[in-house]
Amino acid sequence: MPITVTSPRGTLTHEGEREILPRLTAALIEASGLTGNRFFSSMVGGSVHVLAPEDIYAGGVNRPVVMIELKLPNIGLGTPQARAAFIANATDIAASLTVDGHDREGIWVNIINAPDGGWGIGGRAYTGDQLVAAISQG
C-alpha cells in the first residue's frame, strides 16, 4: 500500500523527511486494525519526494503544500470513519514534522482505491477476498 509524500524542500524538517513515512506507515497499520500482522505490514511502503519549492503549486500558484497520497485496494479503510481517522492522523503527523509557521491548511491527504483485482504484489493480482484471506493468515 504505497504512501507517497511530496513536499517542497525546507517545509518538512530534516527529521520530518526521515520520519514521515515510518510514522504514516504505523498510522495506516493502526487505522486498519492490523498492528502485528506481518503480511499486511509487508505491503505498506512508499516514498518521500522533496522538490524544489518553486515546483509545488496549489490553486495555480506556487505554495508550500505537503501532499500525502495513499493508494489502497478497494477493501482498505472501508468506511468513511476509517478514512477520516487516517486523514486526521496523517495531517497531525505531517504538521508535527513541518517547520514552525507552516500552515496546517497546506497539508493535503488523499486516498485512492484500486478496483477489485487491481492490486498486485510480485506479479500476482489480488481480489479483495484474496487479500482478506492472505491478511487473515498473516
Side-chain angles (χ1 to χ4, degrees):
M1 294 175 202
I3 302 169
T4 304
V5 177
T6 305
S7 175
R9 185 172 293 107
T11 300
L12 290 170
T13 64
H14 179 70
E15 176 191 53
E17 290 180 14
R18 301 289 165 244
E19 289 296 319
I20 195 163
L21 202 54
R23 291 186 191 182
L24 291 171
T25 297
L28 174 59
I29 293 168
E30 181 180 333
S32 299
L34 292 166
T35 301
N37 185 290
R38 287 186 0 215
F39 180 79
F40 184 80
S41 295
S42 73
M43 293 191 315
V44 182
S47 55
V48 178
H49 304 265
V50 179
L51 303 179
E54 62 269 16
D55 292 338
I56 303 285
Y57 288 80
V61 297
N62 185 245
R63 207 169 118 208
V65 177
V66 176
M67 293 174 269
I68 300 168
E69 183 176 274
L70 170 61
K71 295 179 185 102
L72 294 171
N74 61 353
I75 60 165
L77 299 177
T79 66
Q81 295 83 5
R83 292 186 291 274
F86 176 78
I87 289 169
N89 197 9
T91 301
D92 289 344
I93 289 166
S96 75
L97 297 171
T98 58
V99 295
D100 288 340
H102 185 265
D103 183 2
R104 185 177 175 87
E105 295 298 315
I107 300 170
W108 297 359
V109 181
N110 66 55
I111 299 171
I112 300 169
N113 289 114
D116 199 38
W119 193 261
I121 299 172
R124 179 179 175 191
Y126 286 88
T127 65
D129 290 341
Q130 290 169 326
L131 278 170
V132 169
I135 290 167
S136 296
Q137 294 173 4

